[in-house]
Amino acid sequence: LISVRFSRTRRDGEPPLVNGWIPFLGKALEFRKNAHGFLAAHKEKHGDVFTVLIAGKYMTFIMNPLLYPYVIKHGKQLDFHEFSDQVAPVTFGYPPVRSGKFPGMDEHIQRSFRLLQGDNLDNLTESMMGNLMLVFHKDYLDGESEWRTESMYQFCNSVMFEATFLTMYGKPAHTNRHSGMVTLRQDFVKFDNMFPLLIARIPISLLGGTKTIRDKLINYFHPQRMSTWSNTSGFIKERAALFEQYDCMGDVDKAAHHFAILWASVGNTVPATFWAMYYLLTHPEALAVVREEIHCVLKVSGLEADHNQDATFTREQLDSLLYLESSINESLRLSSASMNIRVAQEDFSLRLEGERSIGVRKGDIISLYPQSMHMDPEIYENPEMYKFDRYVEDGKEKTDFFKDGQKLKYYRMPFGSGSTKCPGRYFAVNEIKQFLSLLLLHFDMEVVEGQEPCSLDSSRAGLGILLPATDVQIHYRPRQAREEE
Ligand code: HEM
């Protein structure tokens, strides 16, 4: 490994600098292998704020969640989009939005995110419900009624990928499902496996056939093809109309933007769905409470599942599923490992609590690593344990979590923070709720006995929801079929 000597020395007022001769790439690899352990060890030695050189970048980690608000509210001097606008185009293959070539586009894109939230969520929810039932029926419920075996990740991936795709982009003319969906999903997985390397800026030309696969994925969204699709979400329609306003934008560039949204909408949602399902199925007491809650909600609205009618859920019904929501949030706490990054726009002094402040230099990266907070035993008792009702108190959502005797403003951050917080977060939690509710209503399902507990694969630490290290075998059969026996 190449070793470099830090050319930088710590100035007065700056955080401790982890200094000396260190392997240049070594720190980056060590970080990726076990980011949580790496940061905990540095915190032990250097305190709750310190600077490390990782892959050629000076990164200052703010480890104490009581200090998070001071970073999150610094919108102007600490910018997120500078980073994403460099990395996303290279990863997904479109020209940088903020290059000056596309005046006004960035603002429009930011505004389009409202179409994933608020009242717009009603249409998305209804459409997702229909698409989930379509895929569940065609691929898993119709036909034979005996027990079948399947891999759990595979199951989540095939259902959520297609149902989310149909909800976002719509369906083809004259039929309900897109041809080539299986190939599209398989190509997506191949691309996704290379995602951590692309984000680390390894040139795509060095990654075997990844460029060919990405070109194929992008081509799926060619504007001519998309124009024949119907039931497209307002969000994608508005973005497609926006791209049409820029003559200098080629068809392939437009398609690459749509492909990036496909990644954003399923890249994290599929593993998040897997963990939510895995923890529920392996915790019978949680499963019983959540199942009961779902049946109650349907009963109250006089819509209990019967043999002839597919029970579905409205958005209000989904909102009222308190224990289900807590169980999903608990699995997000345990499986998310995203890093929140801000780039200093100038040399300045970042005010922390009281009289405390730290010197930051232009171009430095300020990082929050919420996994350290999610696994802090002072905030979450027995943090390694899955407690499905951790976020319920007195029949309401629990929002009081403490550190050093002080109430935390931020205690669960799988979706990032501040102005760059994931715009799809409400839709994401909603669709996982829908998936699980339908699963519990319409299937008998169990994890095949004798398997090792599933662990996290940390190779995408810093980038979002971690994947499982191995897949899990499940048995299932349509529930209705059993009741009719
Ligand atoms: C950005 C997480 C689902 C659309 C992000 C970010 C995170 C995240 C951590 C970066 C925010 C930051 O760094 O501050 C997740 C997780 C999901 C999920 C954990 C599922 C459990 C979705 C879905 C959609 C979506 C379903 C769309 C339908 C986006 C978009 C951005 C984004 C468009 C970029 C926002 C920007 O450029 O400002 N997401 N996300 N996400 N997410 Fe999600």
Side-chain angles (χ1 to χ4, degrees), residues 81 97-98 102-116 234-246 257 261 423:
H81 288 109
V97 173
R98 299 208 300 178
F102 308 104
M105 185 183 283
D106 190 33
E107 293 73 17
H108 270 102
I109 285 183
Q110 294 300 318
R111 248 180 284 147
S112 73
F113 294 151
R114 78 188 188 290
L115 294 170
L116 294 170
F235 174 62
I236 294 295
K237 272 203 257 182
E238 182 162 303
R239 290 171 63 93
L242 169 68
F243 302 148
E244 287 310 317
Q245 291 171 21
Y246 293 87
H257 271 280
I261 289 295

PDB file of all heavy atoms in Angstrom, residues 81 97-98 102-116 234-246 257 261 423:
ATOM      1  N   HIS A  81     -25.072  19.327  -1.966  1.00  0.00           N
ATOM      2  CA  HIS A  81     -25.250  19.064  -3.384  1.00  0.00           C
ATOM      3  C   HIS A  81     -23.955  19.129  -4.178  1.00  0.00           C
ATOM      4  O   HIS A  81     -23.845  18.513  -5.220  1.00  0.00           O
ATOM      5  CB  HIS A  81     -26.324  19.996  -3.956  1.00  0.00           C
ATOM      6  CG  HIS A  81     -27.684  19.596  -3.486  1.00  0.00           C
ATOM      7  ND1 HIS A  81     -28.409  20.332  -2.593  1.00  0.00           N
ATOM      8  CD2 HIS A  81     -28.417  18.492  -3.748  1.00  0.00           C
ATOM      9  CE1 HIS A  81     -29.551  19.694  -2.346  1.00  0.00           C
ATOM     10  NE2 HIS A  81     -29.576  18.590  -3.021  1.00  0.00           N
ATOM     11  N   VAL A  97     -25.886  18.440 -13.371  1.00  0.00           N
ATOM     12  CA  VAL A  97     -27.031  19.344 -13.474  1.00  0.00           C
ATOM     13  C   VAL A  97     -26.622  20.793 -13.187  1.00  0.00           C
ATOM     14  O   VAL A  97     -27.132  21.725 -13.783  1.00  0.00           O
ATOM     15  CB  VAL A  97     -28.127  18.891 -12.472  1.00  0.00           C
ATOM     16  CG1 VAL A  97     -29.269  19.891 -12.407  1.00  0.00           C
ATOM     17  CG2 VAL A  97     -28.661  17.520 -12.866  1.00  0.00           C
ATOM     18  N   ARG A  98     -25.655  20.939 -12.281  1.00  0.00           N
ATOM     19  CA  ARG A  98     -25.293  22.307 -11.875  1.00  0.00           C
ATOM     20  C   ARG A  98     -24.072  22.847 -12.626  1.00  0.00           C
ATOM     21  O   ARG A  98     -23.362  23.713 -12.138  1.00  0.00           O
ATOM     22  CB  ARG A  98     -25.065  22.340 -10.358  1.00  0.00           C
ATOM     23  CG  ARG A  98     -26.332  21.952  -9.586  1.00  0.00           C
ATOM     24  CD  ARG A  98     -26.423  22.572  -8.224  1.00  0.00           C
ATOM     25  NE  ARG A  98     -25.312  22.211  -7.360  1.00  0.00           N
ATOM     26  CZ  ARG A  98     -25.159  22.668  -6.125  1.00  0.00           C
ATOM     27  NH1 ARG A  98     -26.048  23.490  -5.610  1.00  0.00           N
ATOM     28  NH2 ARG A  98     -24.135  22.313  -5.383  1.00  0.00           N
ATOM     29  N   PHE A 102     -27.528  23.746 -17.867  1.00  0.00           N
ATOM     30  CA  PHE A 102     -28.986  23.559 -17.765  1.00  0.00           C
ATOM     31  C   PHE A 102     -29.573  24.554 -16.764  1.00  0.00           C
ATOM     32  O   PHE A 102     -29.967  24.174 -15.658  1.00  0.00           O
ATOM     33  CB  PHE A 102     -29.299  22.125 -17.302  1.00  0.00           C
ATOM     34  CG  PHE A 102     -28.632  21.063 -18.108  1.00  0.00           C
ATOM     35  CD1 PHE A 102     -27.528  20.379 -17.603  1.00  0.00           C
ATOM     36  CD2 PHE A 102     -29.098  20.745 -19.375  1.00  0.00           C
ATOM     37  CE1 PHE A 102     -26.902  19.396 -18.354  1.00  0.00           C
ATOM     38  CE2 PHE A 102     -28.473  19.757 -20.128  1.00  0.00           C
ATOM     39  CZ  PHE A 102     -27.370  19.091 -19.626  1.00  0.00           C
ATOM     40  N   PRO A 103     -29.639  25.835 -17.128  1.00  0.00           N
ATOM     41  CA  PRO A 103     -30.092  26.835 -16.156  1.00  0.00           C
ATOM     42  C   PRO A 103     -31.485  26.525 -15.596  1.00  0.00           C
ATOM     43  O   PRO A 103     -32.392  26.181 -16.358  1.00  0.00           O
ATOM     44  CB  PRO A 103     -30.085  28.156 -16.956  1.00  0.00           C
ATOM     45  CG  PRO A 103     -29.885  27.771 -18.385  1.00  0.00           C
ATOM     46  CD  PRO A 103     -29.296  26.404 -18.431  1.00  0.00           C
ATOM     47  N   GLY A 104     -31.605  26.615 -14.281  1.00  0.00           N
ATOM     48  CA  GLY A 104     -32.911  26.437 -13.633  1.00  0.00           C
ATOM     49  C   GLY A 104     -33.275  24.990 -13.363  1.00  0.00           C
ATOM     50  O   GLY A 104     -34.229  24.705 -12.631  1.00  0.00           O
ATOM     51  N   MET A 105     -32.551  24.046 -13.935  1.00  0.00           N
ATOM     52  CA  MET A 105     -32.980  22.643 -13.810  1.00  0.00           C
ATOM     53  C   MET A 105     -32.904  22.135 -12.370  1.00  0.00           C
ATOM     54  O   MET A 105     -33.796  21.444 -11.889  1.00  0.00           O
ATOM     55  CB  MET A 105     -32.156  21.736 -14.721  1.00  0.00           C
ATOM     56  CG  MET A 105     -32.668  20.308 -14.681  1.00  0.00           C
ATOM     57  SD  MET A 105     -31.737  19.146 -15.651  1.00  0.00           S
ATOM     58  CE  MET A 105     -32.281  19.515 -17.269  1.00  0.00           C
ATOM     59  N   ASP A 106     -31.834  22.524 -11.684  1.00  0.00           N
ATOM     60  CA  ASP A 106     -31.655  22.028 -10.315  1.00  0.00           C
ATOM     61  C   ASP A 106     -32.853  22.416  -9.430  1.00  0.00           C
ATOM     62  O   ASP A 106     -33.401  21.582  -8.708  1.00  0.00           O
ATOM     63  CB  ASP A 106     -30.349  22.624  -9.748  1.00  0.00           C
ATOM     64  CG  ASP A 106     -29.978  21.966  -8.437  1.00  0.00           C
ATOM     65  OD1 ASP A 106     -30.260  20.769  -8.288  1.00  0.00           O
ATOM     66  OD2 ASP A 106     -29.420  22.656  -7.561  1.00  0.00           O
ATOM     67  N   GLU A 107     -33.278  23.684  -9.551  1.00  0.00           N
ATOM     68  CA  GLU A 107     -34.408  24.163  -8.740  1.00  0.00           C
ATOM     69  C   GLU A 107     -35.679  23.373  -9.081  1.00  0.00           C
ATOM     70  O   GLU A 107     -36.449  23.002  -8.200  1.00  0.00           O
ATOM     71  CB  GLU A 107     -34.681  25.661  -8.970  1.00  0.00           C
ATOM     72  CG  GLU A 107     -33.598  26.601  -8.473  1.00  0.00           C
ATOM     73  CD  GLU A 107     -32.335  26.604  -9.324  1.00  0.00           C
ATOM     74  OE1 GLU A 107     -32.388  26.128 -10.480  1.00  0.00           O
ATOM     75  OE2 GLU A 107     -31.270  27.046  -8.824  1.00  0.00           O
ATOM     76  N   HIS A 108     -35.874  23.138 -10.398  1.00  0.00           N
ATOM     77  CA  HIS A 108     -37.071  22.380 -10.813  1.00  0.00           C
ATOM     78  C   HIS A 108     -37.044  20.959 -10.261  1.00  0.00           C
ATOM     79  O   HIS A 108     -38.062  20.431  -9.834  1.00  0.00           O
ATOM     80  CB  HIS A 108     -37.149  22.316 -12.339  1.00  0.00           C
ATOM     81  CG  HIS A 108     -37.913  23.455 -12.919  1.00  0.00           C
ATOM     82  ND1 HIS A 108     -37.305  24.540 -13.504  1.00  0.00           N
ATOM     83  CD2 HIS A 108     -39.241  23.683 -12.972  1.00  0.00           C
ATOM     84  CE1 HIS A 108     -38.220  25.379 -13.900  1.00  0.00           C
ATOM     85  NE2 HIS A 108     -39.410  24.899 -13.588  1.00  0.00           N
ATOM     86  N   ILE A 109     -35.867  20.361 -10.310  1.00  0.00           N
ATOM     87  CA  ILE A 109     -35.752  18.982  -9.807  1.00  0.00           C
ATOM     88  C   ILE A 109     -36.088  18.959  -8.326  1.00  0.00           C
ATOM     89  O   ILE A 109     -36.861  18.121  -7.860  1.00  0.00           O
ATOM     90  CB  ILE A 109     -34.334  18.422 -10.085  1.00  0.00           C
ATOM     91  CG1 ILE A 109     -34.215  18.077 -11.567  1.00  0.00           C
ATOM     92  CG2 ILE A 109     -34.040  17.204  -9.219  1.00  0.00           C
ATOM     93  CD1 ILE A 109     -32.899  17.454 -11.997  1.00  0.00           C
ATOM     94  N   GLN A 110     -35.544  19.924  -7.584  1.00  0.00           N
ATOM     95  CA  GLN A 110     -35.840  19.974  -6.140  1.00  0.00           C
ATOM     96  C   GLN A 110     -37.347  20.118  -5.922  1.00  0.00           C
ATOM     97  O   GLN A 110     -37.910  19.499  -5.028  1.00  0.00           O
ATOM     98  CB  GLN A 110     -35.104  21.147  -5.468  1.00  0.00           C
ATOM     99  CG  GLN A 110     -33.573  21.024  -5.458  1.00  0.00           C
ATOM    100  CD  GLN A 110     -33.073  19.784  -4.733  1.00  0.00           C
ATOM    101  OE1 GLN A 110     -33.580  19.433  -3.681  1.00  0.00           O
ATOM    102  NE2 GLN A 110     -32.101  19.099  -5.311  1.00  0.00           N
ATOM    103  N   ARG A 111     -37.988  20.967  -6.770  1.00  0.00           N
ATOM    104  CA  ARG A 111     -39.431  21.189  -6.598  1.00  0.00           C
ATOM    105  C   ARG A 111     -40.243  19.931  -6.937  1.00  0.00           C
ATOM    106  O   ARG A 111     -41.299  19.679  -6.377  1.00  0.00           O
ATOM    107  CB  ARG A 111     -39.896  22.358  -7.461  1.00  0.00           C
ATOM    108  CG  ARG A 111     -40.326  23.551  -6.591  1.00  0.00           C
ATOM    109  CD  ARG A 111     -40.787  24.703  -7.421  1.00  0.00           C
ATOM    110  NE  ARG A 111     -39.641  25.397  -8.003  1.00  0.00           N
ATOM    111  CZ  ARG A 111     -39.642  25.993  -9.193  1.00  0.00           C
ATOM    112  NH1 ARG A 111     -40.709  25.979  -9.947  1.00  0.00           N
ATOM    113  NH2 ARG A 111     -38.564  26.603  -9.618  1.00  0.00           N
ATOM    114  N   SER A 112     -39.702  19.132  -7.877  1.00  0.00           N
ATOM    115  CA  SER A 112     -40.451  17.922  -8.288  1.00  0.00           C
ATOM    116  C   SER A 112     -40.586  16.938  -7.124  1.00  0.00           C
ATOM    117  O   SER A 112     -41.488  16.101  -7.118  1.00  0.00           O
ATOM    118  CB  SER A 112     -39.769  17.233  -9.474  1.00  0.00           C
ATOM    119  OG  SER A 112     -38.577  16.575  -9.062  1.00  0.00           O
ATOM    120  N   PHE A 113     -39.725  17.048  -6.129  1.00  0.00           N
ATOM    121  CA  PHE A 113     -39.766  16.097  -5.009  1.00  0.00           C
ATOM    122  C   PHE A 113     -41.067  16.192  -4.198  1.00  0.00           C
ATOM    123  O   PHE A 113     -41.458  15.243  -3.535  1.00  0.00           O
ATOM    124  CB  PHE A 113     -38.564  16.285  -4.067  1.00  0.00           C
ATOM    125  CG  PHE A 113     -37.238  15.933  -4.718  1.00  0.00           C
ATOM    126  CD1 PHE A 113     -36.060  16.544  -4.321  1.00  0.00           C
ATOM    127  CD2 PHE A 113     -37.175  14.986  -5.721  1.00  0.00           C
ATOM    128  CE1 PHE A 113     -34.848  16.216  -4.911  1.00  0.00           C
ATOM    129  CE2 PHE A 113     -35.965  14.649  -6.323  1.00  0.00           C
ATOM    130  CZ  PHE A 113     -34.791  15.273  -5.910  1.00  0.00           C
ATOM    131  N   ARG A 114     -41.741  17.350  -4.291  1.00  0.00           N
ATOM    132  CA  ARG A 114     -43.004  17.484  -3.552  1.00  0.00           C
ATOM    133  C   ARG A 114     -44.028  16.466  -4.062  1.00  0.00           C
ATOM    134  O   ARG A 114     -44.978  16.108  -3.373  1.00  0.00           O
ATOM    135  CB  ARG A 114     -43.538  18.921  -3.645  1.00  0.00           C
ATOM    136  CG  ARG A 114     -44.202  19.202  -4.957  1.00  0.00           C
ATOM    137  CD  ARG A 114     -44.602  20.635  -5.211  1.00  0.00           C
ATOM    138  NE  ARG A 114     -45.398  20.727  -6.422  1.00  0.00           N
ATOM    139  CZ  ARG A 114     -44.922  20.546  -7.661  1.00  0.00           C
ATOM    140  NH1 ARG A 114     -43.657  20.259  -7.869  1.00  0.00           N
ATOM    141  NH2 ARG A 114     -45.719  20.639  -8.701  1.00  0.00           N
ATOM    142  N   LEU A 115     -43.854  16.005  -5.308  1.00  0.00           N
ATOM    143  CA  LEU A 115     -44.812  15.058  -5.891  1.00  0.00           C
ATOM    144  C   LEU A 115     -44.696  13.654  -5.294  1.00  0.00           C
ATOM    145  O   LEU A 115     -45.438  12.747  -5.658  1.00  0.00           O
ATOM    146  CB  LEU A 115     -44.646  15.001  -7.416  1.00  0.00           C
ATOM    147  CG  LEU A 115     -45.022  16.317  -8.109  1.00  0.00           C
ATOM    148  CD1 LEU A 115     -44.624  16.318  -9.569  1.00  0.00           C
ATOM    149  CD2 LEU A 115     -46.535  16.567  -7.991  1.00  0.00           C
ATOM    150  N   LEU A 116     -43.746  13.476  -4.388  1.00  0.00           N
ATOM    151  CA  LEU A 116     -43.631  12.201  -3.676  1.00  0.00           C
ATOM    152  C   LEU A 116     -44.245  12.289  -2.285  1.00  0.00           C
ATOM    153  O   LEU A 116     -44.191  11.333  -1.518  1.00  0.00           O
ATOM    154  CB  LEU A 116     -42.144  11.824  -3.527  1.00  0.00           C
ATOM    155  CG  LEU A 116     -41.377  11.504  -4.810  1.00  0.00           C
ATOM    156  CD1 LEU A 116     -39.892  11.402  -4.550  1.00  0.00           C
ATOM    157  CD2 LEU A 116     -41.902  10.201  -5.412  1.00  0.00           C
ATOM    158  N   GLY A 234     -47.095  11.236 -11.307  1.00  0.00           N
ATOM    159  CA  GLY A 234     -46.946  12.668 -11.570  1.00  0.00           C
ATOM    160  C   GLY A 234     -45.488  13.093 -11.453  1.00  0.00           C
ATOM    161  O   GLY A 234     -45.004  13.968 -12.188  1.00  0.00           O
ATOM    162  N   PHE A 235     -44.771  12.472 -10.546  1.00  0.00           N
ATOM    163  CA  PHE A 235     -43.365  12.793 -10.298  1.00  0.00           C
ATOM    164  C   PHE A 235     -42.521  12.550 -11.554  1.00  0.00           C
ATOM    165  O   PHE A 235     -41.793  13.430 -12.024  1.00  0.00           O
ATOM    166  CB  PHE A 235     -42.880  11.917  -9.133  1.00  0.00           C
ATOM    167  CG  PHE A 235     -41.410  12.004  -8.833  1.00  0.00           C
ATOM    168  CD1 PHE A 235     -40.829  13.206  -8.445  1.00  0.00           C
ATOM    169  CD2 PHE A 235     -40.599  10.865  -8.912  1.00  0.00           C
ATOM    170  CE1 PHE A 235     -39.463  13.285  -8.149  1.00  0.00           C
ATOM    171  CE2 PHE A 235     -39.251  10.931  -8.613  1.00  0.00           C
ATOM    172  CZ  PHE A 235     -38.683  12.133  -8.234  1.00  0.00           C
ATOM    173  N   ILE A 236     -42.650  11.362 -12.131  1.00  0.00           N
ATOM    174  CA  ILE A 236     -41.856  11.043 -13.327  1.00  0.00           C
ATOM    175  C   ILE A 236     -42.342  11.860 -14.524  1.00  0.00           C
ATOM    176  O   ILE A 236     -41.550  12.353 -15.318  1.00  0.00           O
ATOM    177  CB  ILE A 236     -41.911   9.520 -13.625  1.00  0.00           C
ATOM    178  CG1 ILE A 236     -41.210   8.740 -12.508  1.00  0.00           C
ATOM    179  CG2 ILE A 236     -41.319   9.190 -14.989  1.00  0.00           C
ATOM    180  CD1 ILE A 236     -39.712   8.984 -12.381  1.00  0.00           C
ATOM    181  N   LYS A 237     -43.669  12.081 -14.615  1.00  0.00           N
ATOM    182  CA  LYS A 237     -44.202  12.873 -15.736  1.00  0.00           C
ATOM    183  C   LYS A 237     -43.633  14.283 -15.705  1.00  0.00           C
ATOM    184  O   LYS A 237     -43.232  14.834 -16.714  1.00  0.00           O
ATOM    185  CB  LYS A 237     -45.728  12.929 -15.662  1.00  0.00           C
ATOM    186  CG  LYS A 237     -46.399  11.767 -16.368  1.00  0.00           C
ATOM    187  CD  LYS A 237     -47.807  12.113 -16.763  1.00  0.00           C
ATOM    188  CE  LYS A 237     -48.776  11.493 -15.854  1.00  0.00           C
ATOM    189  NZ  LYS A 237     -50.127  11.551 -15.930  1.00  0.00           N
ATOM    190  N   GLU A 238     -43.599  14.865 -14.487  1.00  0.00           N
ATOM    191  CA  GLU A 238     -43.102  16.241 -14.386  1.00  0.00           C
ATOM    192  C   GLU A 238     -41.618  16.312 -14.755  1.00  0.00           C
ATOM    193  O   GLU A 238     -41.173  17.232 -15.426  1.00  0.00           O
ATOM    194  CB  GLU A 238     -43.317  16.780 -12.961  1.00  0.00           C
ATOM    195  CG  GLU A 238     -42.846  18.221 -12.837  1.00  0.00           C
ATOM    196  CD  GLU A 238     -43.397  18.941 -11.625  1.00  0.00           C
ATOM    197  OE1 GLU A 238     -44.630  19.011 -11.490  1.00  0.00           O
ATOM    198  OE2 GLU A 238     -42.583  19.443 -10.823  1.00  0.00           O
ATOM    199  N   ARG A 239     -40.861  15.317 -14.336  1.00  0.00           N
ATOM    200  CA  ARG A 239     -39.429  15.315 -14.661  1.00  0.00           C
ATOM    201  C   ARG A 239     -39.211  15.146 -16.167  1.00  0.00           C
ATOM    202  O   ARG A 239     -38.374  15.816 -16.767  1.00  0.00           O
ATOM    203  CB  ARG A 239     -38.713  14.205 -13.894  1.00  0.00           C
ATOM    204  CG  ARG A 239     -38.630  14.492 -12.400  1.00  0.00           C
ATOM    205  CD  ARG A 239     -38.129  13.295 -11.648  1.00  0.00           C
ATOM    206  NE  ARG A 239     -36.777  12.916 -12.029  1.00  0.00           N
ATOM    207  CZ  ARG A 239     -35.680  13.339 -11.407  1.00  0.00           C
ATOM    208  NH1 ARG A 239     -35.753  14.147 -10.382  1.00  0.00           N
ATOM    209  NH2 ARG A 239     -34.492  12.956 -11.807  1.00  0.00           N
ATOM    210  N   ALA A 240     -40.001  14.256 -16.785  1.00  0.00           N
ATOM    211  CA  ALA A 240     -39.852  14.035 -18.230  1.00  0.00           C
ATOM    212  C   ALA A 240     -40.174  15.339 -18.983  1.00  0.00           C
ATOM    213  O   ALA A 240     -39.456  15.727 -19.916  1.00  0.00           O
ATOM    214  CB  ALA A 240     -40.777  12.910 -18.682  1.00  0.00           C
ATOM    215  N   ALA A 241     -41.235  16.043 -18.527  1.00  0.00           N
ATOM    216  CA  ALA A 241     -41.619  17.296 -19.195  1.00  0.00           C
ATOM    217  C   ALA A 241     -40.521  18.346 -19.004  1.00  0.00           C
ATOM    218  O   ALA A 241     -40.218  19.131 -19.913  1.00  0.00           O
ATOM    219  CB  ALA A 241     -42.945  17.797 -18.621  1.00  0.00           C
ATOM    220  N   LEU A 242     -39.902  18.353 -17.836  1.00  0.00           N
ATOM    221  CA  LEU A 242     -38.820  19.309 -17.559  1.00  0.00           C
ATOM    222  C   LEU A 242     -37.648  19.078 -18.515  1.00  0.00           C
ATOM    223  O   LEU A 242     -37.134  20.026 -19.126  1.00  0.00           O
ATOM    224  CB  LEU A 242     -38.370  19.137 -16.095  1.00  0.00           C
ATOM    225  CG  LEU A 242     -37.083  19.846 -15.684  1.00  0.00           C
ATOM    226  CD1 LEU A 242     -37.280  21.357 -15.703  1.00  0.00           C
ATOM    227  CD2 LEU A 242     -36.637  19.398 -14.293  1.00  0.00           C
ATOM    228  N   PHE A 243     -37.248  17.827 -18.704  1.00  0.00           N
ATOM    229  CA  PHE A 243     -36.096  17.538 -19.570  1.00  0.00           C
ATOM    230  C   PHE A 243     -36.378  17.975 -21.011  1.00  0.00           C
ATOM    231  O   PHE A 243     -35.473  18.381 -21.732  1.00  0.00           O
ATOM    232  CB  PHE A 243     -35.735  16.038 -19.530  1.00  0.00           C
ATOM    233  CG  PHE A 243     -35.407  15.522 -18.140  1.00  0.00           C
ATOM    234  CD1 PHE A 243     -35.698  14.207 -17.764  1.00  0.00           C
ATOM    235  CD2 PHE A 243     -34.795  16.352 -17.205  1.00  0.00           C
ATOM    236  CE1 PHE A 243     -35.400  13.745 -16.489  1.00  0.00           C
ATOM    237  CE2 PHE A 243     -34.493  15.890 -15.916  1.00  0.00           C
ATOM    238  CZ  PHE A 243     -34.800  14.583 -15.560  1.00  0.00           C
ATOM    239  N   GLU A 244     -37.659  17.886 -21.427  1.00  0.00           N
ATOM    240  CA  GLU A 244     -38.016  18.293 -22.792  1.00  0.00           C
ATOM    241  C   GLU A 244     -37.750  19.783 -23.044  1.00  0.00           C
ATOM    242  O   GLU A 244     -37.629  20.224 -24.171  1.00  0.00           O
ATOM    243  CB  GLU A 244     -39.494  17.991 -23.087  1.00  0.00           C
ATOM    244  CG  GLU A 244     -39.828  16.521 -23.277  1.00  0.00           C
ATOM    245  CD  GLU A 244     -38.910  15.820 -24.269  1.00  0.00           C
ATOM    246  OE1 GLU A 244     -38.616  16.406 -25.326  1.00  0.00           O
ATOM    247  OE2 GLU A 244     -38.464  14.691 -23.959  1.00  0.00           O
ATOM    248  N   GLN A 245     -37.688  20.557 -21.954  1.00  0.00           N
ATOM    249  CA  GLN A 245     -37.481  22.001 -22.133  1.00  0.00           C
ATOM    250  C   GLN A 245     -36.033  22.346 -22.470  1.00  0.00           C
ATOM    251  O   GLN A 245     -35.723  23.489 -22.783  1.00  0.00           O
ATOM    252  CB  GLN A 245     -37.872  22.745 -20.860  1.00  0.00           C
ATOM    253  CG  GLN A 245     -39.367  22.721 -20.594  1.00  0.00           C
ATOM    254  CD  GLN A 245     -39.691  23.263 -19.217  1.00  0.00           C
ATOM    255  OE1 GLN A 245     -38.900  23.985 -18.619  1.00  0.00           O
ATOM    256  NE2 GLN A 245     -40.845  22.899 -18.704  1.00  0.00           N
ATOM    257  N   TYR A 246     -35.141  21.392 -22.370  1.00  0.00           N
ATOM    258  CA  TYR A 246     -33.720  21.668 -22.624  1.00  0.00           C
ATOM    259  C   TYR A 246     -33.276  21.001 -23.930  1.00  0.00           C
ATOM    260  O   TYR A 246     -33.083  19.798 -23.984  1.00  0.00           O
ATOM    261  CB  TYR A 246     -32.863  21.170 -21.438  1.00  0.00           C
ATOM    262  CG  TYR A 246     -33.122  21.956 -20.177  1.00  0.00           C
ATOM    263  CD1 TYR A 246     -34.154  21.603 -19.310  1.00  0.00           C
ATOM    264  CD2 TYR A 246     -32.349  23.083 -19.856  1.00  0.00           C
ATOM    265  CE1 TYR A 246     -34.415  22.331 -18.161  1.00  0.00           C
ATOM    266  CE2 TYR A 246     -32.598  23.814 -18.712  1.00  0.00           C
ATOM    267  CZ  TYR A 246     -33.641  23.443 -17.870  1.00  0.00           C
ATOM    268  OH  TYR A 246     -33.890  24.173 -16.735  1.00  0.00           O
ATOM    269  N   HIS A 257     -31.193  10.050 -16.366  1.00  0.00           N
ATOM    270  CA  HIS A 257     -31.828  10.656 -15.183  1.00  0.00           C
ATOM    271  C   HIS A 257     -32.932   9.745 -14.637  1.00  0.00           C
ATOM    272  O   HIS A 257     -33.059   9.548 -13.441  1.00  0.00           O
ATOM    273  CB  HIS A 257     -32.449  12.005 -15.547  1.00  0.00           C
ATOM    274  CG  HIS A 257     -31.495  13.146 -15.387  1.00  0.00           C
ATOM    275  ND1 HIS A 257     -31.227  13.705 -14.163  1.00  0.00           N
ATOM    276  CD2 HIS A 257     -30.744  13.825 -16.284  1.00  0.00           C
ATOM    277  CE1 HIS A 257     -30.358  14.689 -14.313  1.00  0.00           C
ATOM    278  NE2 HIS A 257     -30.040  14.789 -15.598  1.00  0.00           N
ATOM    279  N   ILE A 261     -33.279   7.650 -10.902  1.00  0.00           N
ATOM    280  CA  ILE A 261     -34.438   7.627 -10.000  1.00  0.00           C
ATOM    281  C   ILE A 261     -34.859   6.189  -9.713  1.00  0.00           C
ATOM    282  O   ILE A 261     -35.274   5.866  -8.609  1.00  0.00           O
ATOM    283  CB  ILE A 261     -35.607   8.470 -10.569  1.00  0.00           C
ATOM    284  CG1 ILE A 261     -35.264   9.953 -10.494  1.00  0.00           C
ATOM    285  CG2 ILE A 261     -36.922   8.186  -9.831  1.00  0.00           C
ATOM    286  CD1 ILE A 261     -35.108  10.527  -9.087  1.00  0.00           C
ATOM    287  N   PRO A 423     -36.325  12.613  -0.249  1.00  0.00           N
ATOM    288  CA  PRO A 423     -37.690  13.066  -0.531  1.00  0.00           C
ATOM    289  C   PRO A 423     -38.681  11.907  -0.657  1.00  0.00           C
ATOM    290  O   PRO A 423     -39.882  12.111  -0.620  1.00  0.00           O
ATOM    291  CB  PRO A 423     -37.546  13.797  -1.867  1.00  0.00           C
ATOM    292  CG  PRO A 423     -36.338  13.197  -2.511  1.00  0.00           C
ATOM    293  CD  PRO A 423     -35.427  12.773  -1.404  1.00  0.00           C
TER     294      PRO A 423
END
